Amino acid sequence: MDLERVAPILEEIIKESLEEKRYPFGVSGGKGNKVASGKLRDSVTVTSSQNAGVSELQVMMEEYSQWVQSGRLPGKKFVPVGEIEKWIKQRGLKGRDKKGKFITNRSFAFAITRNINKFGIRPSNFIDVSLEKIMEDQRIVDLIGEASYDELINAITGI
């Protein structure tokens, strides 16, 4: 199995999974992607390596990818307000009070952090989505040849 040629395809699939508008949000059933600044998407790198004669694919990405993947349970620590403020600016959102007047981004960020603390965040499972796509990608099927899908998954580390 030629893991050097599989690595860029796997990287592309993970990035595409983050960009897809498939992740539910809110109570209205809207769907969005997991790209605000592009920091997580751009941090995804997949490299192939040999360790003690065993070939493996190393997937690296921003540390916060674990929360994007798994979500956040209600009642846990508060999300950093500064990060929520950045997210608000990147998405171009504006908050309003009960009377419909615009509020500052800082106040809006505090409201969002309280809401996340109260209700949590749904998991996106973007890694699971990526692994499903790997099974269906004809380029990977051609490259792994006789090797099984399980052997490919076992060669992937870091996710």
Side-chain angles (χ1 to χ4, degrees):
M1 179 171 20
D2 187 5
L3 293 182
E4 278 188 33
R5 293 178 56 199
V6 171
I9 298 170
L10 179 59
E11 185 174 311
E12 178 185 326
I13 289 172
I14 294 171
K15 289 178 179 183
E16 286 173 358
S17 296
L18 286 165
E19 292 171 346
E20 284 181 2
K21 290 192 180 248
R22 67 177 293 138
Y23 305 102
F25 64 87
V27 293
S28 62
K31 299 219 184 243
N33 61 26
K34 291 295 174 184
V35 178
S37 68
K39 184 177 174 183
L40 176 59
R41 180 199 56 217
D42 295 342
S43 74
V44 175
T45 57
V46 180
T47 56
S48 63
S49 63
Q50 288 267 345
N51 288 333
V54 177
S55 297
E56 61 183 25
L57 290 170
Q58 178 68 39
V59 179
M60 302 291 287
M61 61 186 89
E62 288 287 332
E63 188 177 339
Y64 70 88
S65 64
Q66 63 186 333
W67 290 287
V68 176
Q69 164 70 11
S70 305
R72 190 176 186 98
L73 293 173
K76 298 293 178 186
K77 287 175 34 178
F78 281 88
V79 178
V81 175
E83 295 300 317
I84 297 295
E85 270 188 290
K86 288 179 195 174
W87 179 80
I88 288 169
K89 288 176 187 173
Q90 290 160 348
R91 289 283 178 161
L93 302 174
K94 282 292 187 191
R96 294 178 183 258
D97 65 12
K98 292 180 183 178
K99 295 179 182 178
K101 294 183 182 179
F102 286 110
I103 59 175
T104 66
N105 283 349
R106 188 82 173 162
S107 296
F108 191 29
F110 273 108
I112 290 172
T113 59
R114 282 192 304 273
N115 201 43
I116 290 171
N117 184 266
K118 185 174 181 180
F119 298 107
I121 300 175
R122 290 182 191 154
S124 69
N125 299 318
F126 75 93
I127 293 173
D128 301 337
V129 169
S130 300
L131 294 177
E132 287 175 16
K133 286 181 172 184
I134 291 169
M135 289 181 8
E136 300 164 3
D137 194 292
Q138 191 59 44
R139 299 172 295 177
I140 291 184
V141 171
D142 293 341
L143 286 173
I144 64 173
E146 296 293 317
S148 72
Y149 175 72
D150 290 336
E151 288 177 51
L152 175 61
I153 297 303
N154 290 336
I156 299 173
T157 62
I159 57 174

